[in-house]
Amino acid sequence: MNLLENMNEAMAYIEQHLGDEIDLKAAARIALCSETHFRRMFSFLAGVTLTEYVRRRRLTLAAWELQSGGAKIVDLALKYGYDSADSFARAFRQLHGVTPSEARRSGAKLQAYLPMTFRLTVEGGERMKVRIVEKEAFRIVGIMKRVPIVFSGVNPEIAAMWHSLDMDKIGLMKKVSNIEPGGLVSASTRFSEERMQEKGGLDHYIGAATTLAVPEGFASLEVEASSWAVFEAVGKFPDALQETWGRIYSEWFPSAGYGQAEGPELLWNEQRDQSAPDYRSEIWIPVGKRKDGTKPDRTEPNRTESNTTESNTTESNTTESNTTEQA
């Protein structure tokens, strides 16, 4: 059974338990992954958070019960996870545009969100160039800021971070860079749950990957030892980069034998000239290989969105890796 089939089995479990408490850990076990990876994969595949999907499905079922029977509003509120009839009524009106009482009337127009399933659609057949790299623990040393999530184009807050760097800071970061990816890198972590709705923010670092001590005045992000999937993006910036991001989660993860592990997502750019038609970037994502249907439990919500970077090319230490080209 592949990942999408496992996801659909988990979705069937959720559908069966909309009227009572949903154990998302149990759903994740059915999908053969950790709860956080299950939430993340659902968000990227569905374009909406799992929490929002469950809310919409429950309110859809509640609307049908109101129209087809004599269920009490307070009973429906408790059945579908609300503490009171008032909180249920507010959520109901937000989704359907009418109150629960108005929904009972003949001819009331209500929203309907149907059960979701996933299937693989083959498009294009373009290859993805990816290698798996094993890395010991290291740290990102540089500057950090909480920035808003931006899906398309340049993220102005990240661009401002780059513009704030002077030659002294850049030189010091390059000096401590002693492992791959070499030179300056971007790292993103601690994403808001609403990221798939282009809401909330993330912690963004610009710095160097290193095993050396943290220079005075710099922020530091400690990164655990892990396997890393390294994806190459070549083309117009940032379009090619953002297209690769989408393919990683919609194509590679559903078909590969890996699940996303705990840690930041890294972005390395080969040169400063972002106008180059063959602009080359690397996306580094921590992963763990699935064994006997399991994926790593050490996960946190991560996704790098729109990053403006001005990395410099430096020689980097190579690590043991396996390179594959996937169609």
Side-chain angles (χ1 to χ4, degrees), residues 75-227:
D75 291 338
L76 289 177
L78 296 175
K79 178 179 180 180
Y80 291 113
Y82 292 87
D83 295 331
S84 67
D86 288 341
S87 62
F88 170 72
R90 285 193 297 270
F92 191 95
R93 185 182 183 87
Q94 183 182 37
L95 184 71
H96 295 289
V98 297
T99 66
S101 298
E102 292 169 339
R104 292 186 188 276
R105 300 173 186 170
S106 176
K109 294 182 179 180
L110 303 173
Q111 301 293 327
Y113 289 90
L114 302 180
M116 185 176 293
T117 58
F118 301 106
R119 62 187 177 89
L120 181 64
T121 300
V122 179
E123 296 179 348
E126 298 180 3
R127 73 179 184 181
M128 291 188 73
K129 191 171 184 179
V130 55
R131 58 192 173 104
I132 303 300
V133 176
E134 302 297 330
K135 290 185 69 64
E136 297 298 324
F138 64 98
R139 61 182 58 92
I140 300 294
V141 171
I143 61 173
M144 188 278 284
K145 184 179 180 180
R146 186 76 179 171
V147 301
I149 290 173
V150 177
F151 280 175
S152 301
V154 171
N155 188 319
E157 292 291 333
I158 295 177
M161 290 178 66
W162 280 100
H163 293 150
S164 72
L165 292 174
D166 56 36
M167 295 308 298
D168 290 339
K169 288 182 179 179
I170 292 174
L172 188 51
M173 286 189 287
K174 286 185 177 181
K175 186 177 180 179
V176 299
S177 174
N178 68 341
I179 58 172
E180 190 185 15
L184 301 187
V185 298
S186 297
S188 297
T189 188
R190 294 189 62 240
F191 292 78
S192 299
E193 183 180 355
E194 306 87 355
R195 65 192 182 280
M196 290 309 302
Q197 299 169 283
E198 203 169 358
K199 296 179 181 179
L202 59 96
D203 285 356
H204 191 76
Y205 291 77
I206 298 174
T210 183
T211 57
L212 302 179
V214 181
E216 184 178 355
F218 279 166
S220 176
L221 175 65
E222 299 297 321
V223 183
E224 295 182 7
S226 181
S227 301

Side-chain angles (χ1 to χ4, degrees), residues 26-90:
R29 285 195 295 270
I30 294 171
L32 303 181
C33 63
S34 70
E35 179 184 349
T36 308
H37 187 77
F38 177 66
R39 286 177 177 272
R40 182 183 298 113
M41 286 301 303
F42 178 90
S43 294
F44 276 100
L45 292 171
V48 65
T49 65
L50 182 59
T51 300
E52 177 63 16
Y53 168 77
V54 169
R55 186 185 78 89
R56 292 176 183 180
R57 283 293 300 139
R58 283 174 163 170
L59 290 173
T60 294
L61 296 182
W64 291 347
E65 290 193 45
L66 284 170
Q67 287 193 318
S68 62
K72 294 182 179 180
I73 293 175
V74 65
D75 291 338
L76 289 177
L78 296 175
K79 178 179 180 180
Y80 291 113
Y82 292 87
D83 295 331
S84 67
D86 288 341
S87 62
F88 170 72
R90 285 193 297 270

Side-chain angles (χ1 to χ4, degrees), residues 18-35:
L18 288 172
D20 50 62
E21 185 176 354
I22 297 175
D23 184 352
L24 290 181
K25 287 185 173 59
R29 285 195 295 270
I30 294 171
L32 303 181
C33 63
S34 70
E35 179 184 349

Side-chain angles (χ1 to χ4, degrees), residues 222-291:
E222 299 297 321
V223 183
E224 295 182 7
S226 181
S227 301
W228 294 76
V230 184
F231 301 87
E232 182 180 70
V234 179
K236 182 181 177 182
F237 181 89
D239 298 351
L241 180 65
Q242 291 166 349
E243 179 184 355
T244 301
W245 273 112
R247 294 186 65 201
I248 290 170
Y249 285 94
S250 64
E251 299 177 28
W252 191 80
F253 269 124
S255 60
Y258 291 88
Q260 189 165 1
E262 180 181 358
E265 297 179 356
L266 308 180
L267 174 63
W268 172 88
N269 291 327
E270 186 176 49
Q271 57 179 305
R272 296 175 64 92
D273 182 12
Q274 296 175 348
S275 65
D278 56 350
Y279 192 82
R280 179 172 172 266
S281 304
E282 286 186 350
I283 299 168
W284 290 61
I285 300 180
V287 296
K289 195 165 186 178
R290 298 197 297 268
K291 297 179 180 179

